């Protein structure tokens, strides 16, 4: 191959001391084609030295492995949960190129999950290779509640460490995940990747439970740094779809993991994460090829649900000042300001909040005594007050406006103090505007 790469097929033939046969020529051409594919990234290869490593084989069950539809045809239906509006980011990296059969299959598998999410009104952002720009992913993942990835897992020999993504543009390190992403608190992450559940697609023997736990712990740690509540990793193509279906049916995170057919109570290992001991770490395994393969993992809060993780925002009445003040000039016979416009608002959601006013004070009025956000009301001094001020019998006064709102069956109360002060005269200070004549350089006061 080195001769062919440097001198061409003909020179290689001469170097071998004779004319190549057709079959030899075909074999060399096949080698060249394979090398070209490898060199151009269509078939990811294991890097050398301290460079990050990816397996050329994605993790996958054997052809004879049972499938969910054979064992547990799910009739579970999702329900409308009471949560905040949810957002999801879905990533599919290049497995055998942007449009290889493995890659296309994982795009289809990811779409199974996307259908569940969108059916629940979740806003879905797709980043399927070659659309894998990390800057765009970071922007879309701001406050995202779900992050799903299907692609190559990454091993970093120099650390050694496991974790990260392999995108069209290259590798994403675990530190980039923990530093660059800003997911919503209690977000849920689902991964299909080598090492993410323990075993790699290139492992050919039992790696052992200790190594599997180390890999899962390292792969999940950057996400735990972000405050996620659930981490799922599984080899089956419809695992994300089923996990999400169970979650939107109201199951806990742990029940969703245990409800999938690939879970086996007799083989699962249950412990806690070594860095985040408050997080459970469950790892299950299968024996498909004559040795154990660790391929189904969960890390997080097993007792949490989507409703407890992402509760809806409570309506909150806001937009109200603590106090307002009117100033009256005896000489000018004017109030400043002439009136106050106050706008009650729901500062957490777009839903209107009904409000009612109670006035404690005889020298001002309000334009209306009830309404709903964001409808305003106006506070205006009374005519009788003006007459009293003109007779100089009233110097100061105060009062209160009590704003009441019914929020989730409970009464919220806010109070606004309304103050009046009296002055002899409004005094104005005028600052001269000085302009320089560009032609003469002289100053002119205006």
């Amino acid at each position: 191959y080195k001769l062919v790469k440097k001198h061409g097929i003909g020179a290689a033939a001469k170097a071998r001391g004779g004319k190549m046969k057709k079959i030899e020529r075909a074999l060399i051409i096949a080698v060249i084609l394979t090398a070209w594919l490898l060199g151009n990234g269509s078939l990811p290869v294991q890097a050398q030295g301290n460079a990050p490593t990816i397996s050329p084989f994605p993790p996958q069950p054997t052809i004879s492995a049972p499938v969910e539809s054979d064992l547990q045809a799910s009739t579970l239906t999702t329900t409308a949960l009471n949560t905040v509006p949810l957002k999801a980011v879905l990533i599919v990296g290049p497995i055998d190129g942007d449009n290889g059969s493995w890659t296309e299959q994982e795009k289809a598998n990811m779409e199974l999950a996307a259908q569940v999410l969108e059916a629940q009104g979740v806003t879905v952002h797709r980043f399927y290779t070659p659309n894998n720009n990390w800057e765009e992913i970071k922007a879309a993942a701001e406050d995202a509640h779900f992050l799903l990835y299907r692609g190559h897992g990454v091993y970093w020999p120099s650390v050694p460490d496991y974790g990260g993504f392999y995108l069209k543009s290259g590798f994403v390190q675990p530190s980039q995940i923990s530093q660059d992403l800003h997911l919503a608190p209690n977000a849920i992450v689902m991964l299909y990747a080598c090492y993410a559940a323990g075993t790699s697609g290139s492992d050919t023997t039992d790696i052992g439970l200790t190594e599997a736990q180390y890999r899962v712990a390292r792969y999940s740690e950057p996400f735990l740094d972000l405050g996620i509540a659930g981490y799922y990793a599984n080899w089956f193509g419809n695992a994300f779809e089923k996990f999400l279906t169970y979650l939107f049916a109201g199951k806990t995170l742990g029940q969703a993991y245990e409800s999938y057919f690939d879970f086996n109570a007799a083989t699962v290992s249950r412990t806690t994460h070594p860095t985040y001991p408050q997080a459970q770490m469950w790892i299950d395994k299968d024996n498909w090829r004559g040795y154990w393969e660790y391929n189904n993992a969960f890390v997080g809060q097993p007792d949490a649900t989507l409703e407890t993780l992402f509760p809806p925002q409570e309506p909150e009445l806001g937009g109200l000042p603590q106090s307002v003040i009117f100033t009256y000039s005896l000489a000018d016979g004017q109030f400043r300001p002439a009136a106050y416009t106050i706008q009650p608002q729901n500062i957490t959601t777009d839903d209107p909040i009904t409000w009612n006013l109670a006035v404690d004070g005889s020298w001002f009025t309000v334009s209306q005594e009830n309404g709903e956000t964001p409808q305003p009301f106006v506070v205006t001094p009374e005519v009788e007050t003006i007459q009293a001020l003109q007779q100089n019998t009233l110097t100061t006064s105060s009062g209160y406006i009590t704003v009441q709102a019914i929020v989730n069956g409970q009464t919220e109360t806010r109070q606004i103090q309304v103050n009046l002060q009296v002055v002899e005269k409004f005094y104005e200070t005028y600052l001269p505007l000085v302009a320089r004549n560009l032609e003469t350089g002289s100053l002119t006061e205006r």
Side-chain angles (χ1 to χ4, degrees), residues 306-326:
L306 294 185
E307 288 187 316
T308 61
L309 294 176
F310 312 122
Q313 290 180 303
E314 296 291 335
E316 182 178 349
L317 185 65
L320 305 176
Q322 291 185 343
S323 63
V324 296
I325 184 169
F326 289 95

Side-chain angles (χ1 to χ4, degrees), residues 277-289:
Q278 69 274 24
Q280 293 290 307
M281 188 169 74
W282 302 345
I283 302 177
D284 203 1
K285 57 190 177 181
D286 286 294
N287 189 336
W288 293 322
R289 299 174 177 88

Side-chain angles (χ1 to χ4, degrees), residues 264-275:
N264 188 336
T267 56
V268 68
S269 166
R270 300 182 192 264
T271 183
T272 59
H273 193 279
T275 308

Side-chain angles (χ1 to χ4, degrees), residues 150-211:
R150 302 189 75 86
H152 281 291
V154 189
Y155 171 59
W156 306 84
S158 60
V159 179
D161 199 6
Y162 298 90
F165 301 142
Y166 179 67
L167 307 179
K168 173 68 175 181
S169 57
F171 295 96
V172 176
Q173 301 178 26
S175 60
Q176 289 177 273
I177 292 175
S178 60
Q179 295 172 14
D180 293 354
L181 295 183
H182 302 98
L183 303 178
N186 298 321
I188 293 173
V189 173
M190 297 184 183
L191 302 184
Y192 161 85
C194 287
Y195 316 115
T199 299
S200 163
S202 58
D203 290 323
T204 56
T205 60
D206 183 353
I207 64 172
L209 178 59
T210 300
E211 175 65 14

Side-chain angles (χ1 to χ4, degrees), residues 299-357:
V299 181
Q301 305 173 27
D303 297 330
T305 67
L306 294 185
E307 288 187 316
T308 61
L309 294 176
F310 312 122
Q313 290 180 303
E314 296 291 335
E316 182 178 349
L317 185 65
L320 305 176
Q322 291 185 343
S323 63
V324 296
I325 184 169
F326 289 95
T327 302
Y328 184 79
S329 168
L330 294 172
D332 299 286
Q334 293 180 354
F335 281 97
R336 289 190 180 176
Y340 273 101
T341 299
I342 298 175
Q343 186 177 32
Q345 296 178 341
N346 183 343
I347 60 177
T348 56
T349 74
D350 295 329
D351 298 330
I353 297 176
T354 301
W355 50 263
N356 299 284
L357 305 181

Side-chain angles (χ1 to χ4, degrees), residues 246-421:
Y246 299 137
L247 291 173
F248 279 105
K251 288 183 178 292
T252 67
L253 272 60
Q255 289 171 341
Y257 175 78
E258 294 173 342
S259 295
Y260 190 50
F261 86 101
D262 195 30
F263 170 78
N264 188 336
T267 56
V268 68
S269 166
R270 300 182 192 264
T271 183
T272 59
H273 193 279
T275 308
Y276 291 90
Q278 69 274 24
Q280 293 290 307
M281 188 169 74
W282 302 345
I283 302 177
D284 203 1
K285 57 190 177 181
D286 286 294
N287 189 336
W288 293 322
R289 299 174 177 88
Y291 57 91
W292 289 115
E293 294 177 279
Y294 302 86
N295 50 29
N296 186 21
F298 168 78
V299 181
Q301 305 173 27
D303 297 330
T305 67
L306 294 185
E307 288 187 316
T308 61
L309 294 176
F310 312 122
Q313 290 180 303
E314 296 291 335
E316 182 178 349
L317 185 65
L320 305 176
Q322 291 185 343
S323 63
V324 296
I325 184 169
F326 289 95
T327 302
Y328 184 79
S329 168
L330 294 172
D332 299 286
Q334 293 180 354
F335 281 97
R336 289 190 180 176
Y340 273 101
T341 299
I342 298 175
Q343 186 177 32
Q345 296 178 341
N346 183 343
I347 60 177
T348 56
T349 74
D350 295 329
D351 298 330
I353 297 176
T354 301
W355 50 263
N356 299 284
L357 305 181
V359 176
D360 179 12
S362 60
W363 61 274
F364 62 90
T365 61
V366 293
S367 58
Q368 58 193 74
E369 294 185 352
N370 54 71
E372 63 179 28
T373 58
Q375 186 178 3
F377 62 88
V378 180
V379 185
T380 309
E382 269 286 330
V383 175
E384 289 80 2
T385 302
I386 300 173
Q387 294 172 348
L389 290 170
Q390 289 173 340
Q391 296 172 10
N392 202 20
T393 60
L394 180 64
T395 56
T396 60
S397 186
S398 63
Y400 295 92
I401 301 173
T402 301
V403 185
Q404 292 184 326
I406 305 299
V407 178
N408 290 341
Q410 296 183 342
T411 301
E412 281 193 15
T413 301
R414 302 284 190 275
Q415 196 170 66
I416 305 170
Q417 185 173 9
V418 184
N419 298 313
L420 170 67
Q421 68 176 1

